[in-house]
Amino acid sequence: MAATARPAHARVMLQLRPNCERCDRDLPPESTEARICSFECTFCASCATTHLGNACPNCGGELVVRPRRPAAALARYPASTERVFRPPTAATAGDR
């Protein structure tokens, strides 16, 4: 029996994480201030530019503007509610 085909957008989608991993600022799905790397690590624009040099501290990847999901798609495919918070430690606070 063949598997039912699903639209490509339903297979894999961005999590749209709800906060900045560095300062814990809220970043709702419609935010234009969210920045992500290719692994979806999420930071606010301020942390990305001021403290991180637009490079992800977790993987070293480039931080870019996170795309926004259209409201109709967001209703069907909601954003993640899982918060990831990794505040800088004294050893890393001065990095970049």
Side-chain angles (χ1 to χ4, degrees), residues 40-91:
E40 297 184 60
C41 300
T42 304
F43 301 91
C44 68
S46 178
C47 285
T49 58
T50 304
H51 302 287
L52 304 175
N54 288 311
C56 178
N58 304 320
C59 70
E62 178 183 21
L63 292 173
V64 298
V65 175
R66 180 180 72 189
R68 290 170 288 162
R69 189 169 297 150
L74 191 58
R76 188 168 178 186
Y77 304 102
S80 173
T81 58
E82 180 182 347
R83 297 180 79 87
V84 177
F85 182 46
R86 298 181 182 118
T89 63

